[in-house]
Amino acid sequence: QVQLVESGGGSVQAGGSLTLSCVVSTRPYVRNVFTWFRQAPGKDREGVAAVYVDSGRKYYVDSVKGRFTISQVNAENTVHLQMSNLKPEDTGTYYCAAASATLIGGGWSAPDGYTYWGQGTQVTVSS
């Protein structure tokens, strides 16, 4: 059973920065895809950034490229999302999710493929 616990959300002004963390508890630590999703009120859940553990490849949605960085720290079983130059449109609940890279393939941004989800952490960016 994979458990994901997010932290690091908060309220910032536009242009500010936040770092989200997702602690992954697996036995053993399975080679997966870890992805940060976000969901704004009234909108669909959106894939923001993903990291494929085995290859180290990282992917981002166009709207966050150059501003967000996803990283993994194997020794800590933690996945981080560093967010800078935040914009009001980045506001939403951010979720960490995990899936088998074999099952996901290249479709990292589709939430339906993910089995394990954290509880979410709120990010609010004011103008």
Side-chain angles (χ1 to χ4, degrees):
Q1 184 70 21
V2 177
Q3 294 181 333
L4 308 171
V5 179
E6 303 104 332
S7 63
S11 297
V12 296
Q13 291 189 329
S17 300
L18 284 173
T19 296
L20 307 182
S21 297
C22 173
V23 177
V24 184
S25 300
T26 61
R27 294 189 180 187
Y29 182 59
V30 179
R31 298 307 184 190
N32 279 326
V33 178
F34 292 100
T35 299
W36 285 95
F37 288 85
R38 66 185 177 192
Q39 188 165 22
K43 294 189 176 181
D44 292 335
R45 194 165 293 190
E46 173 188 41
V48 175
V51 57
Y52 285 68
V53 176
D54 277 349
S55 66
R57 290 180 179 175
K58 301 175 183 180
Y59 299 90
Y60 301 89
V61 68
D62 285 347
S63 61
V64 308
K65 286 180 180 177
R67 301 189 297 120
F68 289 15
T69 301
I70 189 170
S71 61
Q72 57 174 104
V73 182
N74 285 344
E76 299 174 359
N77 279 10
T78 303
V79 180
H80 299 288
L81 184 68
Q82 295 174 284
M83 306 184 295
S84 62
N85 191 21
L86 283 161
K87 303 177 180 180
E89 52 264 41
D90 294 319
T91 294
T93 302
Y94 282 69
Y95 299 90
C96 180
S100 164
T102 301
L103 296 178
I104 288 291
W108 65 270
S109 61
D112 291 348
Y114 289 79
T115 304
Y116 304 106
W117 292 85
Q119 81 287 354
T121 185
Q122 179 67 33
V123 172
T124 302
V125 184
S126 58
S127 57

PDB file of all heavy atoms in Angstrom, residues 30-54:
ATOM      1  N   VAL A  30       8.845   1.670  -4.494  1.00  0.00           N
ATOM      2  CA  VAL A  30       8.604   1.134  -5.833  1.00  0.00           C
ATOM      3  C   VAL A  30       8.991   2.157  -6.887  1.00  0.00           C
ATOM      4  O   VAL A  30       8.741   3.340  -6.723  1.00  0.00           O
ATOM      5  CB  VAL A  30       7.122   0.746  -5.977  1.00  0.00           C
ATOM      6  CG1 VAL A  30       6.859   0.201  -7.371  1.00  0.00           C
ATOM      7  CG2 VAL A  30       6.746  -0.267  -4.930  1.00  0.00           C
ATOM      8  N   ARG A  31       9.548   1.717  -7.978  1.00  0.00           N
ATOM      9  CA  ARG A  31       9.925   2.608  -9.078  1.00  0.00           C
ATOM     10  C   ARG A  31       8.668   2.972  -9.844  1.00  0.00           C
ATOM     11  O   ARG A  31       8.077   2.157 -10.523  1.00  0.00           O
ATOM     12  CB  ARG A  31      10.948   1.936  -9.976  1.00  0.00           C
ATOM     13  CG  ARG A  31      12.248   1.603  -9.272  1.00  0.00           C
ATOM     14  CD  ARG A  31      12.837   2.815  -8.589  1.00  0.00           C
ATOM     15  NE  ARG A  31      14.142   2.533  -7.986  1.00  0.00           N
ATOM     16  CZ  ARG A  31      14.769   3.365  -7.178  1.00  0.00           C
ATOM     17  NH1 ARG A  31      14.236   4.524  -6.857  1.00  0.00           N
ATOM     18  NH2 ARG A  31      15.947   3.049  -6.693  1.00  0.00           N
ATOM     19  N   ASN A  32       8.280   4.195  -9.725  1.00  0.00           N
ATOM     20  CA  ASN A  32       7.008   4.655 -10.259  1.00  0.00           C
ATOM     21  C   ASN A  32       7.169   5.980 -10.983  1.00  0.00           C
ATOM     22  O   ASN A  32       8.267   6.486 -11.188  1.00  0.00           O
ATOM     23  CB  ASN A  32       6.017   4.867  -9.113  1.00  0.00           C
ATOM     24  CG  ASN A  32       5.374   3.585  -8.655  1.00  0.00           C
ATOM     25  OD1 ASN A  32       5.134   2.690  -9.442  1.00  0.00           O
ATOM     26  ND2 ASN A  32       5.092   3.516  -7.376  1.00  0.00           N
ATOM     27  N   VAL A  33       6.037   6.511 -11.337  1.00  0.00           N
ATOM     28  CA  VAL A  33       5.907   7.888 -11.769  1.00  0.00           C
ATOM     29  C   VAL A  33       5.271   8.655 -10.621  1.00  0.00           C
ATOM     30  O   VAL A  33       4.247   8.209 -10.086  1.00  0.00           O
ATOM     31  CB  VAL A  33       5.017   8.018 -13.016  1.00  0.00           C
ATOM     32  CG1 VAL A  33       4.868   9.475 -13.411  1.00  0.00           C
ATOM     33  CG2 VAL A  33       5.581   7.206 -14.154  1.00  0.00           C
ATOM     34  N   PHE A  34       5.872   9.755 -10.245  1.00  0.00           N
ATOM     35  CA  PHE A  34       5.284  10.629  -9.233  1.00  0.00           C
ATOM     36  C   PHE A  34       4.919  11.947  -9.903  1.00  0.00           C
ATOM     37  O   PHE A  34       5.748  12.547 -10.582  1.00  0.00           O
ATOM     38  CB  PHE A  34       6.246  10.851  -8.074  1.00  0.00           C
ATOM     39  CG  PHE A  34       6.480   9.612  -7.267  1.00  0.00           C
ATOM     40  CD1 PHE A  34       7.617   8.842  -7.444  1.00  0.00           C
ATOM     41  CD2 PHE A  34       5.526   9.202  -6.348  1.00  0.00           C
ATOM     42  CE1 PHE A  34       7.805   7.691  -6.710  1.00  0.00           C
ATOM     43  CE2 PHE A  34       5.718   8.043  -5.612  1.00  0.00           C
ATOM     44  CZ  PHE A  34       6.863   7.288  -5.795  1.00  0.00           C
ATOM     45  N   THR A  35       3.709  12.354  -9.672  1.00  0.00           N
ATOM     46  CA  THR A  35       3.182  13.513 -10.376  1.00  0.00           C
ATOM     47  C   THR A  35       2.458  14.442  -9.419  1.00  0.00           C
ATOM     48  O   THR A  35       1.763  13.987  -8.506  1.00  0.00           O
ATOM     49  CB  THR A  35       2.224  13.066 -11.491  1.00  0.00           C
ATOM     50  OG1 THR A  35       2.951  12.258 -12.421  1.00  0.00           O
ATOM     51  CG2 THR A  35       1.609  14.248 -12.222  1.00  0.00           C
ATOM     52  N   TRP A  36       2.643  15.723  -9.643  1.00  0.00           N
ATOM     53  CA  TRP A  36       1.850  16.725  -8.946  1.00  0.00           C
ATOM     54  C   TRP A  36       0.705  17.162  -9.854  1.00  0.00           C
ATOM     55  O   TRP A  36       0.922  17.537 -11.003  1.00  0.00           O
ATOM     56  CB  TRP A  36       2.705  17.933  -8.582  1.00  0.00           C
ATOM     57  CG  TRP A  36       3.629  17.686  -7.439  1.00  0.00           C
ATOM     58  CD1 TRP A  36       4.937  17.308  -7.487  1.00  0.00           C
ATOM     59  CD2 TRP A  36       3.301  17.798  -6.055  1.00  0.00           C
ATOM     60  NE1 TRP A  36       5.446  17.180  -6.228  1.00  0.00           N
ATOM     61  CE2 TRP A  36       4.455  17.474  -5.313  1.00  0.00           C
ATOM     62  CE3 TRP A  36       2.147  18.145  -5.344  1.00  0.00           C
ATOM     63  CZ2 TRP A  36       4.491  17.483  -3.919  1.00  0.00           C
ATOM     64  CZ3 TRP A  36       2.177  18.153  -3.967  1.00  0.00           C
ATOM     65  CH2 TRP A  36       3.346  17.829  -3.259  1.00  0.00           C
ATOM     66  N   PHE A  37      -0.506  17.066  -9.319  1.00  0.00           N
ATOM     67  CA  PHE A  37      -1.700  17.576  -9.981  1.00  0.00           C
ATOM     68  C   PHE A  37      -2.203  18.779  -9.199  1.00  0.00           C
ATOM     69  O   PHE A  37      -1.870  18.970  -8.039  1.00  0.00           O
ATOM     70  CB  PHE A  37      -2.800  16.512 -10.010  1.00  0.00           C
ATOM     71  CG  PHE A  37      -2.537  15.382 -10.958  1.00  0.00           C
ATOM     72  CD1 PHE A  37      -1.761  14.294 -10.576  1.00  0.00           C
ATOM     73  CD2 PHE A  37      -3.079  15.390 -12.234  1.00  0.00           C
ATOM     74  CE1 PHE A  37      -1.526  13.242 -11.455  1.00  0.00           C
ATOM     75  CE2 PHE A  37      -2.851  14.348 -13.115  1.00  0.00           C
ATOM     76  CZ  PHE A  37      -2.080  13.273 -12.725  1.00  0.00           C
ATOM     77  N   ARG A  38      -3.034  19.576  -9.832  1.00  0.00           N
ATOM     78  CA  ARG A  38      -3.724  20.648  -9.119  1.00  0.00           C
ATOM     79  C   ARG A  38      -5.150  20.748  -9.628  1.00  0.00           C
ATOM     80  O   ARG A  38      -5.456  20.366 -10.755  1.00  0.00           O
ATOM     81  CB  ARG A  38      -3.004  21.990  -9.295  1.00  0.00           C
ATOM     82  CG  ARG A  38      -3.015  22.545 -10.707  1.00  0.00           C
ATOM     83  CD  ARG A  38      -2.180  23.801 -10.782  1.00  0.00           C
ATOM     84  NE  ARG A  38      -2.106  24.332 -12.134  1.00  0.00           N
ATOM     85  CZ  ARG A  38      -1.277  25.285 -12.528  1.00  0.00           C
ATOM     86  NH1 ARG A  38      -0.419  25.835 -11.646  1.00  0.00           N
ATOM     87  NH2 ARG A  38      -1.278  25.705 -13.776  1.00  0.00           N
ATOM     88  N   GLN A  39      -5.989  21.257  -8.751  1.00  0.00           N
ATOM     89  CA  GLN A  39      -7.389  21.424  -9.123  1.00  0.00           C
ATOM     90  C   GLN A  39      -7.901  22.730  -8.544  1.00  0.00           C
ATOM     91  O   GLN A  39      -7.870  22.927  -7.317  1.00  0.00           O
ATOM     92  CB  GLN A  39      -8.228  20.248  -8.615  1.00  0.00           C
ATOM     93  CG  GLN A  39      -9.644  20.253  -9.132  1.00  0.00           C
ATOM     94  CD  GLN A  39     -10.332  18.923  -8.921  1.00  0.00           C
ATOM     95  OE1 GLN A  39      -9.942  18.119  -8.066  1.00  0.00           O
ATOM     96  NE2 GLN A  39     -11.356  18.661  -9.713  1.00  0.00           N
ATOM     97  N   ALA A  40      -8.352  23.601  -9.431  1.00  0.00           N
ATOM     98  CA  ALA A  40      -8.970  24.855  -9.022  1.00  0.00           C
ATOM     99  C   ALA A  40     -10.469  24.639  -8.916  1.00  0.00           C
ATOM    100  O   ALA A  40     -11.020  23.740  -9.567  1.00  0.00           O
ATOM    101  CB  ALA A  40      -8.644  25.953 -10.028  1.00  0.00           C
ATOM    102  N   PRO A  41     -11.160  25.426  -8.113  1.00  0.00           N
ATOM    103  CA  PRO A  41     -12.609  25.266  -7.972  1.00  0.00           C
ATOM    104  C   PRO A  41     -13.319  25.326  -9.321  1.00  0.00           C
ATOM    105  O   PRO A  41     -13.070  26.233 -10.122  1.00  0.00           O
ATOM    106  CB  PRO A  41     -13.004  26.448  -7.084  1.00  0.00           C
ATOM    107  CG  PRO A  41     -11.784  26.747  -6.300  1.00  0.00           C
ATOM    108  CD  PRO A  41     -10.634  26.478  -7.233  1.00  0.00           C
ATOM    109  N   GLY A  42     -14.150  24.338  -9.584  1.00  0.00           N
ATOM    110  CA  GLY A  42     -14.916  24.311 -10.810  1.00  0.00           C
ATOM    111  C   GLY A  42     -14.159  23.852 -12.035  1.00  0.00           C
ATOM    112  O   GLY A  42     -14.700  23.866 -13.139  1.00  0.00           O
ATOM    113  N   LYS A  43     -12.913  23.439 -11.841  1.00  0.00           N
ATOM    114  CA  LYS A  43     -12.106  23.006 -12.974  1.00  0.00           C
ATOM    115  C   LYS A  43     -11.669  21.553 -12.798  1.00  0.00           C
ATOM    116  O   LYS A  43     -11.680  21.012 -11.697  1.00  0.00           O
ATOM    117  CB  LYS A  43     -10.891  23.916 -13.135  1.00  0.00           C
ATOM    118  CG  LYS A  43     -11.238  25.350 -13.526  1.00  0.00           C
ATOM    119  CD  LYS A  43      -9.998  26.135 -13.878  1.00  0.00           C
ATOM    120  CE  LYS A  43     -10.364  27.534 -14.352  1.00  0.00           C
ATOM    121  NZ  LYS A  43      -9.150  28.322 -14.732  1.00  0.00           N
ATOM    122  N   ASP A  44     -11.256  20.955 -13.908  1.00  0.00           N
ATOM    123  CA  ASP A  44     -10.762  19.584 -13.870  1.00  0.00           C
ATOM    124  C   ASP A  44      -9.379  19.530 -13.222  1.00  0.00           C
ATOM    125  O   ASP A  44      -8.641  20.510 -13.215  1.00  0.00           O
ATOM    126  CB  ASP A  44     -10.668  19.011 -15.285  1.00  0.00           C
ATOM    127  CG  ASP A  44     -12.029  18.817 -15.933  1.00  0.00           C
ATOM    128  OD1 ASP A  44     -13.030  18.661 -15.186  1.00  0.00           O
ATOM    129  OD2 ASP A  44     -12.087  18.813 -17.175  1.00  0.00           O
ATOM    130  N   ARG A  45      -9.065  18.367 -12.712  1.00  0.00           N
ATOM    131  CA  ARG A  45      -7.733  18.163 -12.150  1.00  0.00           C
ATOM    132  C   ARG A  45      -6.714  18.167 -13.296  1.00  0.00           C
ATOM    133  O   ARG A  45      -6.916  17.507 -14.314  1.00  0.00           O
ATOM    134  CB  ARG A  45      -7.693  16.850 -11.375  1.00  0.00           C
ATOM    135  CG  ARG A  45      -6.485  16.698 -10.490  1.00  0.00           C
ATOM    136  CD  ARG A  45      -6.693  15.561  -9.493  1.00  0.00           C
ATOM    137  NE  ARG A  45      -7.745  15.889  -8.525  1.00  0.00           N
ATOM    138  CZ  ARG A  45      -7.997  15.158  -7.431  1.00  0.00           C
ATOM    139  NH1 ARG A  45      -7.237  14.086  -7.186  1.00  0.00           N
ATOM    140  NH2 ARG A  45      -8.964  15.493  -6.616  1.00  0.00           N
ATOM    141  N   GLU A  46      -5.616  18.879 -13.091  1.00  0.00           N
ATOM    142  CA  GLU A  46      -4.627  19.099 -14.142  1.00  0.00           C
ATOM    143  C   GLU A  46      -3.268  18.580 -13.712  1.00  0.00           C
ATOM    144  O   GLU A  46      -2.804  18.891 -12.601  1.00  0.00           O
ATOM    145  CB  GLU A  46      -4.547  20.605 -14.429  1.00  0.00           C
ATOM    146  CG  GLU A  46      -3.448  21.014 -15.388  1.00  0.00           C
ATOM    147  CD  GLU A  46      -3.291  22.519 -15.491  1.00  0.00           C
ATOM    148  OE1 GLU A  46      -3.376  23.201 -14.452  1.00  0.00           O
ATOM    149  OE2 GLU A  46      -3.066  23.012 -16.614  1.00  0.00           O
ATOM    150  N   GLY A  47      -2.612  17.818 -14.588  1.00  0.00           N
ATOM    151  CA  GLY A  47      -1.249  17.393 -14.318  1.00  0.00           C
ATOM    152  C   GLY A  47      -0.303  18.567 -14.463  1.00  0.00           C
ATOM    153  O   GLY A  47      -0.309  19.248 -15.490  1.00  0.00           O
ATOM    154  N   VAL A  48       0.525  18.798 -13.455  1.00  0.00           N
ATOM    155  CA  VAL A  48       1.420  19.947 -13.433  1.00  0.00           C
ATOM    156  C   VAL A  48       2.858  19.541 -13.745  1.00  0.00           C
ATOM    157  O   VAL A  48       3.504  20.150 -14.581  1.00  0.00           O
ATOM    158  CB  VAL A  48       1.365  20.639 -12.055  1.00  0.00           C
ATOM    159  CG1 VAL A  48       2.382  21.768 -11.969  1.00  0.00           C
ATOM    160  CG2 VAL A  48      -0.040  21.159 -11.783  1.00  0.00           C
ATOM    161  N   ALA A  49       3.343  18.509 -13.058  1.00  0.00           N
ATOM    162  CA  ALA A  49       4.727  18.080 -13.247  1.00  0.00           C
ATOM    163  C   ALA A  49       4.865  16.627 -12.829  1.00  0.00           C
ATOM    164  O   ALA A  49       4.199  16.189 -11.894  1.00  0.00           O
ATOM    165  CB  ALA A  49       5.690  18.949 -12.436  1.00  0.00           C
ATOM    166  N   ALA A  50       5.730  15.908 -13.540  1.00  0.00           N
ATOM    167  CA  ALA A  50       5.922  14.489 -13.250  1.00  0.00           C
ATOM    168  C   ALA A  50       7.398  14.136 -13.300  1.00  0.00           C
ATOM    169  O   ALA A  50       8.170  14.744 -14.060  1.00  0.00           O
ATOM    170  CB  ALA A  50       5.152  13.627 -14.248  1.00  0.00           C
ATOM    171  N   VAL A  51       7.764  13.120 -12.528  1.00  0.00           N
ATOM    172  CA  VAL A  51       9.115  12.569 -12.596  1.00  0.00           C
ATOM    173  C   VAL A  51       9.018  11.056 -12.673  1.00  0.00           C
ATOM    174  O   VAL A  51       8.305  10.427 -11.884  1.00  0.00           O
ATOM    175  CB  VAL A  51       9.979  13.033 -11.391  1.00  0.00           C
ATOM    176  CG1 VAL A  51       9.355  12.654 -10.059  1.00  0.00           C
ATOM    177  CG2 VAL A  51      11.397  12.480 -11.518  1.00  0.00           C
ATOM    178  N   TYR A  52       9.706  10.486 -13.654  1.00  0.00           N
ATOM    179  CA  TYR A  52       9.796   9.041 -13.805  1.00  0.00           C
ATOM    180  C   TYR A  52      11.035   8.608 -13.033  1.00  0.00           C
ATOM    181  O   TYR A  52      12.158   8.975 -13.375  1.00  0.00           O
ATOM    182  CB  TYR A  52       9.905   8.667 -15.273  1.00  0.00           C
ATOM    183  CG  TYR A  52       8.603   8.789 -16.033  1.00  0.00           C
ATOM    184  CD1 TYR A  52       8.020  10.030 -16.276  1.00  0.00           C
ATOM    185  CD2 TYR A  52       7.942   7.655 -16.504  1.00  0.00           C
ATOM    186  CE1 TYR A  52       6.822  10.136 -16.959  1.00  0.00           C
ATOM    187  CE2 TYR A  52       6.749   7.748 -17.203  1.00  0.00           C
ATOM    188  CZ  TYR A  52       6.197   8.995 -17.432  1.00  0.00           C
ATOM    189  OH  TYR A  52       5.014   9.092 -18.105  1.00  0.00           O
ATOM    190  N   VAL A  53      10.828   7.818 -12.001  1.00  0.00           N
ATOM    191  CA  VAL A  53      11.907   7.529 -11.053  1.00  0.00           C
ATOM    192  C   VAL A  53      13.070   6.801 -11.716  1.00  0.00           C
ATOM    193  O   VAL A  53      14.231   7.151 -11.518  1.00  0.00           O
ATOM    194  CB  VAL A  53      11.361   6.728  -9.861  1.00  0.00           C
ATOM    195  CG1 VAL A  53      12.495   6.346  -8.924  1.00  0.00           C
ATOM    196  CG2 VAL A  53      10.313   7.536  -9.118  1.00  0.00           C
ATOM    197  N   ASP A  54      12.786   5.792 -12.502  1.00  0.00           N
ATOM    198  CA  ASP A  54      13.866   4.993 -13.092  1.00  0.00           C
ATOM    199  C   ASP A  54      14.744   5.807 -14.028  1.00  0.00           C
ATOM    200  O   ASP A  54      15.967   5.720 -13.976  1.00  0.00           O
ATOM    201  CB  ASP A  54      13.282   3.797 -13.851  1.00  0.00           C
ATOM    202  CG  ASP A  54      12.988   2.640 -12.918  1.00  0.00           C
ATOM    203  OD1 ASP A  54      13.426   2.711 -11.760  1.00  0.00           O
ATOM    204  OD2 ASP A  54      12.338   1.679 -13.345  1.00  0.00           O
TER     205      ASP A  54
END
